[in-house]
């Protein structure tokens, strides 16, 4: 199916009264990736596991289709998306696994660069099940709800922001025949036009939210295949200790998705959940998916002290990027003793002027102290930088390069320099829309998607008037060279260890070796498809790459 094909919707059946439990089928779509993309394209669907738990707690029957988790070893050609691969089930296979008795079909759409492919899936679902309520939620529909409803008739409702309470009320209203206008936090279609209801407030009793329901997700397959958001330190599962972020960076869509309310769970409840997964799934590592895991120093100190006391003998990672204010010389030894082995920082820029411009409230000197303390404690550290943001000057580039050099000298393990990409829902994207320099369209979403083909070269797009796209690609690549050039010069054993881990042991025990492993596996899949003239291949997790090279 072409990603330009849209089907008209037909009127949905109206329930006169709720005489039975609702049947809801949740869908995690397959993903598009490329053999050159070193980033992870799949993680266990934590958000949908929370949604499933909320629906079940409200008395609904829930089934689940995991487009990736049910076929982690499968790669196929992505027709209509030149040079890209489908990781997971085909669209037809996803639809075939949907419960035909479902009343509501809920689909996750987190990243805007996947929208065209997810739209293909939604269209196919609606063609197959025209009478079912098709609901989509996540970061992307929260930012683009009206656009989605105007351009994709296959979507009936978009859920805005935090979804647990909203989806329960939406399902109840639909099954009872009540007006959707009564449901807060949605955008739906009325007389052919998008209509928004008032936004629902964030859930305040965060400790009362039902724990994610992994029983309907093929979580064992994720664990067996070593799927992790951080380094591969053993059997892993995702976890949330907090929700939201109190900051308002101009390039981030978090304020629209989550508002600026940050809430942390009680440390005792987080550790209790960890114990369940250790017992139930045999996990030895936890990946924290928090937007901003560490805001209050006292919280992280209490958590570490409890974890040390429990002697669980596990590792955990802050792999989503966090702030540095609460991570200092006092906390870092405690982090390591409690099992923390990776902290990813998110300075974004090394220029104080640019940080003010993008509303990134970090103090670079404090962050350097934090990174140094983490390195001394034995914790792997990574930093994410962004180049080409609106207003960035050559002076900003110089300051960022200098900051990158400083990070290399003090022992930061990895640095990534990404080109700025304006995402829907962010302040920067709204500014570009107002200036006529960006607009929501298939071409725009395709440009986001094509960035994953080769991050720093021909597919980079500059939205900064000072730099061409080619110049921005050079700047991003230069950041990589500056960091690793200095890092390997100061610590040459790192280069030797990296080569040994990557080429000889074929392990993924660090962020960088995990990236190489992901690329190797996808390139192996492409070679198999070319050799066997196949549209799809299965790539077992334990299959040696060297054996594929002479297949």
């Amino acid at each position: 199916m072409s990603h330009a094909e849209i089907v008209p919707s037909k009127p949905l059946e109206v329930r006169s009264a709720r005489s039975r439990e609702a049947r809801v089928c949740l869908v995690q779509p397959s993903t598009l990736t490329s053999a050159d993309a070193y980033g992870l394209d799949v993680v266990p669907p934590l958000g949908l596991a929370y949604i499933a738990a909320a629906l079940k707690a409200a008395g609904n029957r829930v089934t689940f289709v995991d487009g990736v988790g049910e076929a982690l070893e499968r790669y196929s050609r992505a027709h209509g998306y030149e040079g890209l691969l489908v990781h997971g089930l085909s669209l037809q296979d996803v639809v075939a696994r949907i419960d035909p008795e479902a009343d509501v079909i809920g689909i996750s759409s987190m990243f805007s660069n996947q929208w065209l492919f997810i739209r293909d899936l939604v269209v196919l679902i609606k063609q197959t099940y025209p009478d079912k309520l098709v609901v989509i939620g996540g970061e992307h529909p929260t930012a683009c709800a009206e656009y989605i409803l105007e351009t994709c008739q296959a979507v009936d409702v978009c859920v805005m922001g935090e979804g647990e309470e909203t989806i329960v009320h939406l399902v109840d209203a639909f099954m009872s025949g009540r007006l959707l206008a009564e449901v807060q936090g949605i955008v739906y279609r009325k007389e052919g036009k998008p209509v928004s209801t008032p936004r629902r407030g964030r859930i305040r009793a965060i400790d009362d939210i039902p724990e994610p329901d992994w029983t309907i997700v093929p979580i064992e397959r994720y664990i067996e295949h070593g799927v992790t958001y951080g380094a591969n330190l053993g059997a892993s599962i995702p976890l949330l200790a907090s929700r939201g972020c109190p900051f308002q960076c101009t390039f981030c869509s978090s304020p629209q998705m989550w508002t600026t309310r940050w809430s942390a769970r009680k440390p005792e409840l987080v550790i209790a959940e960890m114990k369940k997964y250790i017992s139930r799934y045999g996990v030895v590592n936890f990946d924290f998916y928090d937007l901003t895991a560490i805001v209050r120093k006292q919280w992280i100190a209490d958590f570490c002290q409890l974890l040390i006391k429990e002697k669980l003998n596990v590792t955990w990672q802050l792999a989503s990027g966090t702030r540095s204010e609460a991570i200092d010389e006092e906390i870092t030894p405690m982090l390591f003793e409690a099992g923390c082995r990776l902290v990813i920082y998110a300075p974004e820029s090394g220029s104080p002027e640019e940080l003010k411009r993008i509303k990134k409230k970090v103090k670079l000197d404090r962050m350097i102290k934090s990174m140094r303390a983490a390195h001394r404690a034995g914790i792997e550290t990574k930093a994410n930088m962004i180049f080409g943001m609106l207003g960035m000057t050559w002076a900003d580039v110089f300051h960022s390069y200098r900051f990158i050099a400083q990070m290399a000298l003090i022992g930061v393990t990895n640095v990534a320099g990404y080109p700025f990409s304006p995402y829907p829902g962010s302040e920067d994207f709204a500014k570009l829309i107002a200036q006529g320099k960006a607009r929501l369209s298939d071409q725009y979403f395709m440009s986001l998607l094509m960035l994953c083909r080769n991050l720093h070269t021909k597919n980079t797009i500059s939205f900064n008037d000072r730099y061409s796209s080619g110049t921005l690609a050079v700047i991003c690549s230069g950041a990589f060279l500056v960091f690793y050039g200095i890092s390997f010069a100061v610590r040459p054993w790192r280069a030797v260890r990296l080569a040994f881990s990557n080429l000889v042991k074929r392990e993924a025990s660090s962020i960088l070796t995990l990236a190489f492993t992901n690329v190797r596996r996808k390139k192996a899949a492409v070679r198999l498809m070319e050799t066997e003239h196949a549209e799809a291949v299965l790539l077992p997790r334990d299959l040696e790459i060297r054996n594929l090279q002479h297949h």
Side-chain angles (χ1 to χ4, degrees):
M1 178 185 299
S2 166
H3 47 262
E5 183 179 350
I6 305 297
V7 297
S9 62
K10 59 182 291 186
L12 294 165
E13 176 187 352
V14 178
R15 276 74 174 168
S16 58
R18 184 167 186 176
S19 57
R20 60 174 176 82
E21 65 180 1
R23 299 172 68 108
V24 181
C25 182
L26 299 177
V27 178
Q28 172 77 355
S30 309
T31 63
L32 285 183
T33 184
S34 82
D36 296 323
Y38 55 77
L40 194 66
D41 63 276
V42 57
V43 292
L46 179 59
L48 283 179
Y50 267 109
I51 295 296
L55 285 166
K56 282 189 174 183
N60 301 290
R61 182 172 178 179
V62 182
T63 55
F64 197 93
V65 180
D66 192 335
V68 183
E70 295 175 33
L72 281 164
E73 68 282 359
R74 187 180 191 274
Y75 291 90
S76 59
R77 302 181 191 277
H79 296 289
Y81 302 91
E82 183 182 357
L84 297 179
L85 302 171
V86 177
H87 187 186
L89 298 171
S90 68
L91 300 184
Q92 292 76 14
D93 286 341
V94 171
V95 175
R97 299 188 185 202
I98 290 175
D99 177 11
E101 300 299 320
D103 302 292
V104 178
I105 301 174
I107 304 155
S108 173
S109 178
M110 289 302 296
F111 303 108
S112 292
N113 63 359
Q114 296 286 319
W115 167 240
L116 296 180
F117 188 62
I118 291 176
R119 190 178 70 184
D120 291 348
L121 174 62
V122 174
V123 168
L124 188 57
I125 289 172
K126 198 65 173 179
Q127 287 179 333
T128 308
Y129 298 111
D131 297 324
K132 301 188 187 304
L133 185 72
V134 175
V135 181
I136 187 168
E139 294 265 2
H140 176 69
T142 297
C144 304
E146 291 190 3
Y147 172 81
I148 289 172
L149 290 175
E150 288 172 349
T151 60
C152 183
Q153 295 296 311
V155 176
D156 297 311
V157 181
C158 292
V159 172
M160 307 288 284
E162 195 173 32
E164 285 89 348
E165 290 183 345
T166 302
I167 191 65
V168 168
H169 291 176
L170 173 61
V171 169
D172 186 66
F174 177 67
M175 294 299 294
S176 301
R178 302 199 313 273
L179 295 175
L180 295 185
E182 298 177 10
V183 182
Q184 293 182 351
I186 66 170
V187 181
Y188 67 102
R189 193 179 293 103
K190 181 179 180 181
E191 298 178 354
K193 297 181 179 180
V195 176
S196 301
T197 65
R199 280 294 293 266
R200 184 180 300 274
R202 286 280 308 283
I203 300 173
R204 291 187 172 272
I206 186 172
D207 289 328
D208 294 336
I209 298 174
E211 290 179 357
D213 182 1
W214 292 114
T215 63
I216 62 171
V217 177
I219 190 63
E220 293 90 347
R221 291 179 59 83
Y222 285 100
I223 294 171
E224 291 168 1
H225 281 74
V227 175
T228 174
Y229 199 38
N232 190 351
L233 302 179
S236 304
I237 200 168
L239 207 64
L240 269 182
S242 65
R243 290 194 175 196
C245 176
F247 304 99
Q248 302 182 60
C249 301
T250 63
F251 56 87
C252 183
S253 61
S254 172
Q256 181 164 334
M257 175 70 185
W258 294 100
T259 74
T260 55
R261 178 180 174 80
W262 181 84
S263 302
R265 299 168 61 192
K266 291 178 181 177
E268 297 86 350
L269 295 181
V270 177
I271 293 174
E273 186 179 351
M274 295 170 76
K275 287 181 177 179
K276 292 178 185 177
Y277 299 151
I278 294 169
S279 173
R280 188 178 302 163
Y281 303 115
V283 299
V284 297
N285 176 73
F286 295 88
D287 299 329
F288 283 80
Y289 282 14
D290 302 56
L291 289 172
T292 309
I294 301 177
V295 172
R296 291 201 307 263
K297 182 176 179 178
Q298 188 59 53
W299 188 95
I300 193 63
D302 291 344
F303 175 72
C304 288
Q305 288 168 356
L306 284 170
L307 201 51
I308 293 168
K309 181 180 178 181
E310 292 288 343
K311 298 180 180 179
L312 298 183
N313 194 30
V314 295
T315 59
W316 48 285
Q317 308 178 66
L318 301 175
S320 295
T322 191
R323 302 184 66 86
S324 59
E325 287 83 350
I327 307 177
D328 55 21
E329 292 85 350
E330 179 185 355
I331 291 295
T332 47
M334 196 182 300
L335 286 172
F336 186 84
E337 186 180 358
C340 181
R341 293 296 180 268
L342 170 68
V343 174
I344 296 184
Y345 293 87
E348 321 299 2
S349 173
S351 166
E353 290 301 317
E354 185 170 35
L355 290 173
K356 291 179 184 177
R357 203 160 50 239
I358 65 175
K359 301 180 182 178
K360 184 79 179 184
K361 296 180 179 180
V362 299
K363 296 186 182 299
L364 295 174
D365 56 344
R366 186 179 298 176
M367 182 168 282
I368 285 291
K369 289 180 181 178
S370 177
M371 292 172 170
R372 183 184 287 112
H375 170 65
R376 288 174 176 171
I379 300 171
E380 181 181 358
T381 51
K382 179 188 175 185
N384 294 328
M385 304 288 287
I386 302 177
F387 293 94
M389 287 188 282
L390 305 186
M392 186 183 80
T393 65
W394 282 110
D396 296 328
V397 175
F398 170 77
H399 287 300
S400 287
Y401 272 23
R402 186 171 63 179
F403 187 68
I404 287 171
Q406 193 175 4
M407 288 190 288
L409 289 171
I410 67 171
V412 171
T413 317
N414 299 295
V415 165
Y418 300 104
F420 166 73
S421 185
Y423 251 59
S426 67
E427 181 180 327
D428 284 343
F429 187 79
K431 185 181 296 184
L432 288 169
I433 289 284
Q435 295 173 351
K437 296 179 179 179
R439 68 183 184 90
L440 295 174
S441 65
D442 283 12
Q443 182 179 6
Y444 167 72
F445 292 120
M446 183 63 77
S447 72
L448 293 179
L449 182 58
M450 296 309 287
L451 276 175
C452 75
R453 287 193 60 186
N454 205 332
L455 190 59
H456 292 158
T457 55
K458 63 181 180 180
N459 296 308
T460 297
I461 299 174
S462 175
F463 290 87
N464 187 305
D465 295 334
R466 290 185 175 89
Y467 315 101
S468 67
S469 298
T471 300
L472 180 56
V474 171
I475 291 172
C476 291
S477 298
F480 179 88
L481 295 174
V482 167
F483 177 79
Y484 286 102
I486 295 174
S487 180
F488 291 158
V490 175
R491 298 173 178 83
W493 61 88
R494 281 190 177 180
V496 175
R497 188 170 59 196
L498 176 63
F500 182 73
S501 297
N502 186 49
L503 300 176
V504 180
K505 296 181 70 176
R506 301 296 178 98
E507 65 180 11
S509 57
S510 71
I511 287 287
L512 202 54
T513 54
L514 179 65
F516 289 139
T517 298
N518 289 333
V519 171
R520 280 203 309 268
R521 287 183 57 78
K522 288 183 286 189
K523 286 187 177 294
V526 171
R527 286 196 298 272
L528 275 178
M529 281 188 278
E530 291 175 348
T531 302
E532 299 179 356
H533 304 289
E535 291 296 308
V537 295
L538 299 179
L539 199 64
R541 66 180 180 89
D542 56 352
L543 192 60
E544 285 289 333
I545 302 300
R546 61 175 64 92
N547 291 336
L548 291 174
Q549 291 174 343
H550 65 265
H551 181 87

